Amino acid sequence: MRRRIALALTCAGVLVPATALATPAAGRRVIPEPQYATGFLTYPGFQSAMRTLARRYPSRVRIVKVGHSSGGYPLYDVLVSDFSDHRPLARRAGLYFNGSIHGDERDGAEGFARVVEDLAEARSATVVNQLRRELVVFTFANPDGWVHGDVPDGLEQPPGPVNGGESVGLYTFTRWNQAGHDLNREWPVVGFQNETSFPLTDPEVRSYVSYNGNYLHRRLGVRFAYAFDVHGSAEVRDPPAKQLMLDILMGADQMDLTRTLLQTQVLTRYLRNLARTSSADPLHAAGATTGNQLYTPGLWDTTWDIYGYQVSGDYADWMANQTTGLGAVADTVELWDNGEPGQVNTYVGYNPLVEESNVHSLRLLVSTAMAAAMDRQRATLRLPGPIAYVRNRFALRRGRGRTVAPIGSDAVRPPSAPYPASTNRFFTDLARESDSSVTPLNVGRIRSAAGLRRYRAIVVAEDPHLDSAAALSAIRRYAFSGGTVVLTDGALRDLAVWHIVPASAIGHGVVYAGYVSPTSHTDPLTRGARELSSQTYEPVPLGYEISNTFSSSTSVDTAPAWWVSPGAWQAAGGDSAGTTGPGHTSLGSVRLGRGDVRIIGSLLPNPNRAFTHPFGVDSYDLTYWGYQLLENALGATANLRPR
């Protein structure tokens, strides 16, 4: 078995040239701590350091050359585990960390290179036990942008211009690779794929998809638990505004309740661990002395809620994708900025204090994820009793919608999502994680309220079934006699059928991404709201276009949203707890007889067939906030427990 593992990890070849470190090591460290370094680690220095660590610790560190960059530089996986243990890789939890996909955001590579050394030398019983049961994969996806800023390491200066056509000076790190492409827009994802962003085109993306996705994950069976892509462009603020140490942007995928709760759990633990370690972080320590008015750990939320934009083909979204990617709980970390303005080089702009802080943050990130991966947990949705949902009649089937040619070569192309895609999949997945039954109802079989009384709540999602008068009448009588009905998305039109509000008071439109902004943090329907909670579903995996290719929200809006006029809702006696758009009620509750009708205007839209989706589309893609809103509307609670 030991020999089989070794062959599996080296089949792509190993190549690490022997080049001196750009900055000398202090003491036993191969890579000096930031306070002892005179500049950023160069790419030849990184190669030499990894070679040294693999030679010193052959049972812990292996370096696999997986391909070449656009500029011809080797691409590596650095694999860390206890390779002397006979446990098959398929029985080890995978963890995946990428640093500096944007070459001018140096902090991810700086931190993870040092973490490799930490793990290679680790002797604590906890880490030794973790490495027997885990495979930790480190990638460094943009050597072109890295090498361009190395000064001087005996490398020829790559020809310019780079950075997407912008002219840059000699020896400056670049966001783009040598082809002038942003590698964080090219990853093959289920849902909308922006054809103008060169999906699955550059060798960097093809190499990592082929080795880590198709080979390690799908062929060898490595199950990745957590994955993080680390950037370095957190906003710099002036006191007394709080300077956040980092932001964490949540990866998008069709995640069931278990993966959603694991995502919020690991991010909460990570920020808690950062808050507890101020003595080890010079900037956090400075913040603690000022009541965190200078520096505070940061926050996590969706990309759109934090940064105000999204993209198609994001690396972390590929890591999260169960079909094309790694199937991990995946997120993007944006660290305290160090070196990005002006695309500085190895020595200009290097700040040892900031780098020490960022390296500390990444050490905690890896240790938090490794600890979390040791816990085998699953979610349980505790319902107030059995519930039912009325089946949506829409399903997106293969061949419907825009015809899309496959992208990528047959040798590299990952699988596509299966058809049909339908919101009904959400409820069948939810049923497996609930402590009471979640029953599908065919609208043609709903004839009387008496047959519905066994259910504590009934959900009508998206499809309003306006042509099924008998069923809608029965559901209304069910609510009137004390039941709870939850209407989402297009099903809000049933409010008019039941004469709660006039049809003219029900509105809909398109937004950048589905959202419900809470207007009250004390209403039971907004229980669990965070500081920035707003986005309820991710548009890209569902096939809705996000056409901006850079860091802006310039895309034409395509994601559907529904709402009710606040005046009409108030006149009906309804309580409003959230809005979409300029004050439109999209979250609320209204009495109907002895029962309640509750609305969520943006949650479970139909998958979209109109835009490019070469790898299919997902059936649903609720954010943590979308799940929370549905739990609240059902009177349910969710938690994790050991498997």
Side-chain angles (χ1 to χ4, degrees), residues 81-135:
S81 190
D82 180 357
F83 296 110
S84 66
D85 190 272
H86 291 192
R87 188 184 311 270
L89 293 185
R91 290 181 54 203
R92 305 187 191 204
L95 294 117
Y96 192 93
F97 301 94
N98 177 71
S100 304
I101 194 170
H102 294 145
D104 54 358
E105 300 172 15
R106 299 303 324 134
D107 309 279
E110 290 283 320
F112 290 146
R114 289 175 170 89
V115 171
V116 171
E117 184 167 2
D118 296 343
L119 295 177
E121 296 183 339
R123 294 294 177 265
S124 78
T126 297
V127 176
V128 168
N129 186 45
Q130 289 169 343
L131 290 177
R132 291 179 58 231
R133 290 168 168 79
E134 298 176 350
L135 173 69

Side-chain angles (χ1 to χ4, degrees), residues 109-401:
E110 290 283 320
F112 290 146
R114 289 175 170 89
V115 171
V116 171
E117 184 167 2
D118 296 343
L119 295 177
E121 296 183 339
R123 294 294 177 265
S124 78
T126 297
V127 176
V128 168
N129 186 45
Q130 289 169 343
L131 290 177
R132 291 179 58 231
R133 290 168 168 79
E134 298 176 350
L135 173 69
V136 190
V137 179
F138 295 93
T139 60
F140 304 83
N142 189 0
D144 291 359
W146 185 345
V147 167
H148 206 280
D150 286 346
V151 182
D153 271 287
L155 300 173
E156 291 187 12
Q157 176 71 4
V162 291
N163 276 17
E166 296 180 12
S167 178
V168 298
L170 293 178
Y171 303 114
T172 51
F173 298 124
T174 62
R175 177 184 178 96
W176 287 262
N177 71 350
Q178 189 59 48
H181 297 162
D182 188 334
L183 294 172
N184 202 36
R185 307 293 187 269
E186 298 189 23
W187 298 85
V189 294
V190 170
F192 172 69
Q193 193 87 53
N194 194 328
E195 296 170 289
T196 68
S197 297
F198 312 102
L200 208 54
T201 295
D202 282 298
E204 296 91 339
V205 176
R206 296 199 310 268
S207 296
Y208 284 125
V209 168
S210 179
Y211 187 77
N212 293 312
N214 296 342
Y215 181 67
L216 278 185
H217 179 47
R218 279 178 280 280
R219 182 175 168 188
L220 292 190
V222 176
R223 294 170 293 175
F224 285 93
Y226 297 97
F228 294 88
D229 182 29
V230 174
H231 294 241
S233 56
E235 178 187 1
V236 178
R237 304 178 181 180
D238 295 322
K242 294 181 179 180
Q243 169 64 55
L244 299 182
M245 305 299 297
L246 49 85
D247 296 314
I248 310 174
L249 317 178
M250 307 175 85
D253 185 42
Q254 180 178 289
M255 295 201 295
D256 60 17
L257 182 61
T258 293
R259 292 179 70 211
T260 299
L261 292 185
L262 288 173
Q263 185 179 42
T264 60
Q265 180 190 70
V266 74
L267 298 184
T268 300
R269 287 179 178 179
Y270 178 40
L271 293 184
R272 185 182 302 126
N273 289 340
L274 282 171
R276 289 173 175 171
T277 56
S278 60
S279 61
D281 184 330
L283 297 186
H284 191 181
T289 64
T290 62
N292 281 338
Q293 285 301 304
L294 289 178
Y295 305 101
T296 193
L299 49 83
W300 58 259
D301 219 300
T302 71
T303 302
W304 188 47
D305 280 340
I306 291 182
Y307 275 11
Y309 71 91
Q310 295 180 310
V311 296
S312 168
D314 179 84
Y315 197 1
D317 289 350
W318 175 79
M319 295 173 185
N321 201 278
Q322 299 170 88
T323 302
T324 63
L326 304 178
V329 172
D331 302 284
T332 297
V333 176
E334 297 276 359
L335 291 170
W336 202 152
D337 185 29
N338 190 16
E340 185 183 13
Q343 289 77 43
V344 298
N345 63 39
T346 300
Y347 301 113
V348 176
Y350 180 79
N351 185 320
L353 188 67
V354 172
E355 207 57 52
E356 185 180 352
S357 174
N358 284 339
V359 169
H360 169 76
S361 294
L362 293 189
R363 281 171 163 149
L364 273 181
L365 176 67
V366 175
S367 65
T368 301
M370 290 180 69
M374 296 291 286
D375 298 331
R376 292 185 58 81
Q377 302 175 91
R378 68 181 302 273
T380 298
L381 182 66
R382 302 189 182 282
L383 293 165
I387 67 169
Y389 66 97
V390 183
R391 291 182 59 84
N392 186 348
R393 293 169 294 183
F394 174 86
L396 182 58
R397 301 186 182 280
R398 186 180 300 278
R400 294 186 181 179

